[in-house]
Amino acid sequence: AWNSDSGNTADLDGVDVVVDFSLSETVLTNVKFCAEAGVNLVVGTTGWYGEMDKVKAIVEATNCNSSLGRDNRANQTAFGLLWSSNFSIGVNMYFKIIGMKSASQIECACHTGALLAKANQQLTDKFSTFGHNLGMASQITNDIQGVTHGRDILRRKVTLPTIYALAQTRGEIRNQLELAFVKPSESAVDLTQIRDLLFSTGAIHYTTVKTEFYKQQALDILSDVEGLGISVERLKLFLE
């Protein structure tokens, strides 16, 4: 653990890289400190993107001085900074969560149904996979409806569209989304504004594409099952 409040770059002697998970208001200070110390920095903190231009200027100025031989740092030819949103891995994690939650329940139901029908192992596995894909599509559809109907926005509930939008945006748009979902205040959320942002950032489009992907996966499995002479028309109704 390290704190730039010490004001002493010697605290970073022997350090190759600093990983910043702190507060948005301290990121700029930490960037300046690490640049001065010649220590590479990875920023995982969110909410500081309004300072992006200042951060870029620090990195460019530091590397310019280094290339011209104007700094006194030993064994340091450039200052490297990598920033990544805390939500950049959130989408994949969200898929894992709903896979273990909503999708697993429907998968279990389909698996149990196949066992009760005394299906062989191959058929049982197909129905289980069908259930998984159906569960994924159903949950993501619910996430879309939570935005279009506004209920998840008013409840400040973070679902797939929000996670995607947070991972893809920065600056003022990112700040507005964070205020609505990540750092909620006592003031009422502007439903229309946030819903429009989730559409304009491509979050709803992305989520819709994912829904159709899982639906198609489920339909492909039903097609295989139908090829075995088993009626699946009623199961197809769940995908309409």
Side-chain angles (χ1 to χ4, degrees), residues 4-221:
S4 61
D5 289 342
S6 67
N8 185 2
T9 57
D11 291 344
L12 294 178
D13 286 350
V15 175
D16 295 318
V17 61
V18 168
V19 179
D20 183 304
F21 281 102
S22 57
L23 300 174
S24 58
E25 55 266 28
T26 66
V27 169
L28 188 60
T29 299
N30 293 341
V31 170
K32 293 177 180 177
F33 199 87
C34 287
E36 182 182 348
V39 176
N40 297 318
L41 177 64
V42 176
V43 182
T45 307
T46 61
W48 58 275
Y49 305 114
E51 305 285 356
M52 182 64 74
D53 289 341
K54 294 180 181 179
V55 169
K56 287 182 178 179
I58 293 171
V59 175
E60 291 172 358
T62 302
N63 288 334
C64 179
N65 288 337
S66 176
S67 65
L68 294 175
R70 293 176 182 169
D71 64 46
N72 299 315
R73 296 170 296 164
N75 302 319
Q76 180 72 30
T77 59
F79 168 55
L81 186 145
L82 174 67
W83 67 271
S84 176
S85 162
N86 283 341
F87 289 89
S88 61
I89 61 171
V91 169
N92 291 331
M93 182 60 68
Y94 187 75
F95 285 136
K96 290 181 180 180
I97 292 172
I98 64 175
M100 293 184 291
K101 182 188 172 186
S102 306
S104 66
Q105 295 175 8
I106 300 178
E107 179 180 347
C108 180
C110 291
H111 183 87
T112 301
L115 291 177
L116 292 174
K118 298 182 179 180
N120 60 36
Q121 187 62 53
Q122 180 184 16
L123 193 56
T124 299
D125 289 343
K126 285 185 178 297
F127 277 116
S128 296
T129 306
F130 164 79
H132 173 81
N133 285 289
L134 174 60
M136 295 292 285
S138 298
Q139 180 59 61
I140 298 172
T141 298
N142 188 60
D143 289 352
I144 295 173
Q145 293 173 346
V147 171
T148 57
H149 296 169
R151 61 175 181 270
D152 286 346
I153 297 174
L154 293 175
R155 294 166 55 194
R156 304 179 189 270
K157 181 179 180 181
V158 176
T159 58
L160 183 57
T162 304
I163 293 172
Y164 177 85
L166 284 166
Q168 298 298 316
T169 58
R170 64 184 188 183
E172 182 58 29
I173 294 177
R174 171 61 183 250
N175 289 337
Q176 290 178 30
L177 291 171
E178 286 193 339
L179 287 174
F181 294 101
V182 184
K183 303 174 181 178
S185 63
E186 294 182 359
S187 60
V189 63
D190 188 329
L191 173 59
T192 301
Q193 179 191 45
I194 299 302
R195 182 163 49 200
D196 288 347
L197 285 177
L198 292 175
F199 272 93
S200 64
T201 57
I204 297 301
H205 174 73
Y206 168 82
T207 311
T208 301
V209 170
K210 281 298 182 180
T211 301
E212 293 304 316
F213 168 78
Y214 285 110
K215 282 186 176 181
Q216 189 58 54
Q217 292 283 97
L219 284 171
D220 290 345
I221 293 170

Side-chain angles (χ1 to χ4, degrees), residues 218-228 232 236:
L219 284 171
D220 290 345
I221 293 170
L222 290 184
S223 180
D224 291 342
V225 172
E226 195 170 30
L228 299 174
V232 296
K236 288 182 180 179

